[in-house]
Amino acid sequence: MKLLRYGSAGSEKPGLLDDNGHVRDLSGVIPDLAGNVLEADSLKKIAALDISQLPVVEGVPQDTLRLGPCVGGIGKFICIGLNYADHAAEAGMDIPPEPVIFNKWTSAVVGPNDDVVIPRGSEKTDWEVELAIVIGTGGSYISEADALKHVAGYCLVNDVSEREYQIERSGTWDKGKGCDTFGPTGPWLVTQDEIADVDDLAMWCEIDGRRYQNGSTATMVYKVAYLVSYCSQFMSLQAGDIISTGTPPGVGMGQTPPIYLKGGEVMTLGITGLGEQRQHVKRADELNGS
């Protein structure tokens, strides 16, 4: 299934994408795509529905119909750094002996086609196409062998990053990762049964039509099951938590010379089977008239 949330920001309703590309309304079945709704038994009940009996939502998704973040009420937005061997090489850094964990604040989460806003004073805002794991069944100290039983599905994330704040401003990476709008998520949560091999998905990102990132989840150092197990050793995972798993090479920081977003650009990105995103980049100082 491709599960989604549609409607105006803050008032999204749950839905799913049918085989004809139409959105079907799930609001008469579930309150939201959030929390316990994402557990395995709940997803089985949704999968058993007669989709043809669900109301059709007017509009074209990601065009005349806005899609919100595909997961509502996200409790934790966990991110993994330097998890692609080729990206670590691009950054001139060693592959970490254990996964690097940082966080994006949930206030950064926006829909897949919402605007991305460069913070005031930023000169080094960057892009990162990433595969994200959505937790369905929570737990602590999850074994790697059981980890995929705790996964509701996968989605696309743009891990927008301010490199000065992240690296040069005296603190953890979190400082440059969680600015408002820095977490476009969706367009849909794709359940595991639709992904033949999560370790071999093509992924890409373009800025104004120029392709900078053109990679694959095949170069991930720490794979999905390991990451779920690893993170659960340090925190309990709950339904609706997201783990964003890192990015392949081609980020702005890795260009020679580095290239950063200035405002006015259009970012487009996608992962095979998980859909695409498209964001217009704006500057906070221009939006606020200062």
Side-chain angles (χ1 to χ4, degrees):
M1 295 181 292
K2 291 182 174 68
L3 301 169
L4 55 86
R5 300 170 70 247
Y6 70 91
S8 58
S11 301
E12 292 92 348
K13 296 180 179 181
L16 58 77
L17 192 73
D18 69 18
D19 291 339
N20 296 314
H22 300 133
V23 172
R24 298 280 183 158
D25 179 41
L26 282 173
S27 61
V29 180
I30 56 174
D32 198 358
L33 283 171
N36 294 341
V37 169
L38 299 172
E39 292 182 352
D41 288 346
S42 176
L43 293 180
K44 287 179 183 177
K45 291 178 182 177
I46 296 172
L49 293 171
D50 181 354
I51 294 175
S52 67
Q53 299 303 305
L54 296 174
V56 176
V57 179
E58 292 186 6
V60 178
Q62 297 183 273
D63 185 358
T64 55
L65 176 65
R66 175 188 177 269
L67 297 187
C70 59
V71 179
I74 297 169
K76 294 188 288 296
F77 199 140
I78 305 158
C79 298
I80 308 298
L82 296 174
N83 194 35
Y84 281 67
D86 39 8
H87 174 54
E90 167 187 62
M93 302 179 74
D94 294 333
I95 294 172
E98 295 186 38
V100 173
I101 296 178
F102 61 92
N103 296 288
K104 294 181 87 75
W105 317 126
T106 56
S107 53
V109 177
V110 292
N113 287 52
D114 290 346
D115 293 339
V116 166
V117 180
I118 297 173
R120 292 187 184 187
S122 167
E123 297 295 337
K124 296 183 179 180
T125 295
D126 204 348
W127 56 85
E128 294 189 12
V129 58
E130 302 203 2
L131 165 78
I133 305 161
V134 180
I135 298 299
T137 301
S140 299
Y141 304 105
I142 298 167
S143 71
E144 188 172 352
D146 289 336
L148 295 185
K149 298 176 183 176
H150 293 259
V151 175
Y154 306 100
C155 67
L156 173 62
V157 161
N158 187 354
D159 177 19
V160 185
S161 307
E162 212 299 340
R163 302 302 189 187
E164 180 190 2
Y165 301 175
Q166 176 189 355
I167 299 168
E168 304 170 33
R169 292 287 295 273
S170 193
T172 64
W173 284 13
D174 305 342
K175 190 180 291 186
K177 293 288 190 169
C179 302
D180 290 357
T181 76
F182 272 24
T185 302
W188 22 77
L189 187 167
V190 181
T191 51
Q192 291 194 75
D193 57 291
E194 293 211 9
I195 304 297
D197 185 359
V198 73
D199 294 327
D200 189 22
L201 301 178
M203 53 202 309
W204 55 272
C205 180
E206 296 178 350
I207 309 300
D208 289 337
R210 176 179 171 181
R211 184 159 296 197
Y212 284 93
Q213 291 188 274
N214 199 23
S216 170
T217 58
T219 66
M220 284 174 60
V221 178
Y222 300 106
K223 306 298 186 180
V224 168
Y226 183 86
L227 290 173
V228 172
S229 175
Y230 184 84
C231 290
S232 77
Q233 311 306 308
F234 302 97
M235 67 199 84
S236 62
L237 298 176
Q238 282 103 31
D241 287 348
I242 285 180
I243 304 172
S244 200
T245 60
T247 198
V251 300
M253 181 175 64
Q255 306 303 309
T256 306
I259 297 172
Y260 296 112
L261 300 168
K262 301 299 183 185
E265 300 92 345
V266 175
M267 294 187 283
T268 53
L269 55 150
I271 298 178
T272 301
L274 300 184
E276 299 183 3
Q277 298 183 353
R278 180 182 177 89
Q279 297 111 24
H280 291 267
V281 182
K282 299 183 177 180
R283 297 195 66 90
D285 48 10
E286 295 173 351
L287 294 176
N288 290 294
S290 60

